[in-house]
Amino acid sequence: MLFVHIQKTAGMSLYNALAHAFAPGESMRFERSQEAFRQRFLAMPEAELKRCRLLSGHFNLPFWLSRDLGPRLVLSAVREPVDRVLSTYRYMRSWKGHRRHASAGQLDIAGFVDDYANDPSRHNVQCMRLCGAPDFARAKAMAARAIDILGAVEAMPQLVAAIDAALGVAIDVGVDNRSAIQEPRREAIDPALIARLRDCNAEDAKLFDYVMTEGVVRGHVQG
């Protein structure tokens, strides 16, 4: 299995549940997407790749597929874009190990939205993870071509049922890596700020709406 982990989409909860379905030593997760981790993946011997029945990390799917991973179930999950960004903000403020922790700690929500809006590299990350571009049409095409199961955090029971059926075992998805800070909540934020975040992630919103309409997107038809 290849689990394309998009940040703040219950990825650690899903990964930990999936890892329990495999034997010890058969799972590998790349904690970051920086170049050192990319090179580590590219340098993995073929025998080690085959031994790792579950691979996961924050790499874009086209990068994963730059190597021959053999026959694998490809899985990913998306989340409503504004909720995902707000979760990221809370997580950055609560986890001292985050590379943006110091700067995020100095920003109230309005300052964070300004900072976020001025950095296009952080927009439409969900489309980026699936196809390498901030574009819904390309992400949808990649899902059809290369992703077996694409679900949404907001429809977790459907996603888990699809995974259970594919694996032939039931996985137990808990709540892992939750931010220690749960404020600000979306309903308490100025609607104008919410609208700015939504505008920054218009392509991700299309992707999310598509997945929610489908329930679970099933592509990668083989044979």
Side-chain angles (χ1 to χ4, degrees):
M1 174 177 283
L2 170 62
F3 173 37
V4 182
H5 179 184
I6 300 169
Q7 294 94 323
K8 306 316 295 176
T9 59
M12 283 307 304
S13 299
L14 279 167
Y15 174 79
N16 289 335
L18 290 167
H20 281 102
F22 297 94
E26 290 185 341
S27 302
M28 177 173 288
R29 172 179 171 267
F30 293 86
E31 297 88 352
R32 303 282 185 274
S33 59
Q34 285 95 333
E35 187 62 23
F37 292 91
R38 291 163 60 90
Q39 291 302 318
R40 177 182 165 196
F41 167 69
L42 292 174
M44 284 179 66
E46 294 294 332
E48 187 177 6
L49 271 181
K50 291 179 180 179
R51 176 180 59 79
C52 293
R53 297 180 62 202
L54 171 61
L55 288 170
S56 182
H58 297 312
F59 304 143
N60 296 346
L61 179 54
F63 176 76
W64 283 113
L65 299 180
S66 66
R67 294 200 61 176
D68 180 5
L69 301 180
R72 287 179 187 265
L73 188 81
V74 180
L75 161 72
S76 194
V78 298
R79 183 177 182 181
E80 196 282 321
V82 174
D83 287 342
R84 195 195 72 83
V85 174
L86 293 176
S87 178
T88 301
Y89 171 62
R90 294 189 291 265
Y91 186 63
M92 289 191 303
R93 288 169 60 87
S94 67
W95 183 46
K96 293 182 179 179
H98 196 287
R99 64 190 180 91
R100 297 183 188 272
H101 174 74
S103 59
Q106 303 301 313
L107 298 173
D108 62 10
I109 186 60
F112 168 77
V113 172
D114 283 341
D115 183 65
Y116 180 89
N118 289 326
D119 186 356
S121 70
R122 297 158 70 185
H123 304 171
N124 297 299
V125 165
Q126 300 183 89
C127 287
M128 284 289 297
R129 287 289 173 265
L130 298 190
C131 71
D135 182 88
F136 163 64
R138 291 175 62 177
K140 181 181 177 182
M142 178 63 87
R145 183 169 68 252
I147 302 177
D148 297 276
I149 299 173
L150 175 60
V153 173
E154 291 79 357
M156 186 63 77
Q158 291 170 272
L159 175 57
V160 171
I163 296 170
D164 289 350
L167 290 178
V169 297
I171 64 170
D172 182 15
V173 180
V175 179
D176 302 322
N177 209 33
R178 173 178 284 179
S179 172
I181 296 175
Q182 293 299 305
E183 302 293 336
R185 309 305 300 177
R186 180 171 179 155
E187 57 271 17
I189 296 172
D190 183 343
L193 297 178
I194 298 296
R196 289 184 70 192
L197 292 177
R198 187 183 302 114
D199 289 345
C200 289
N201 292 282
E203 296 300 298
D204 273 4
K206 295 176 188 176
L207 175 64
F208 173 75
D209 289 345
Y210 167 63
V211 174
M212 287 297 290
T213 297
E214 295 293 316
V216 174
V217 175
R218 299 174 183 272
H220 198 192
V221 177
Q222 304 180 53

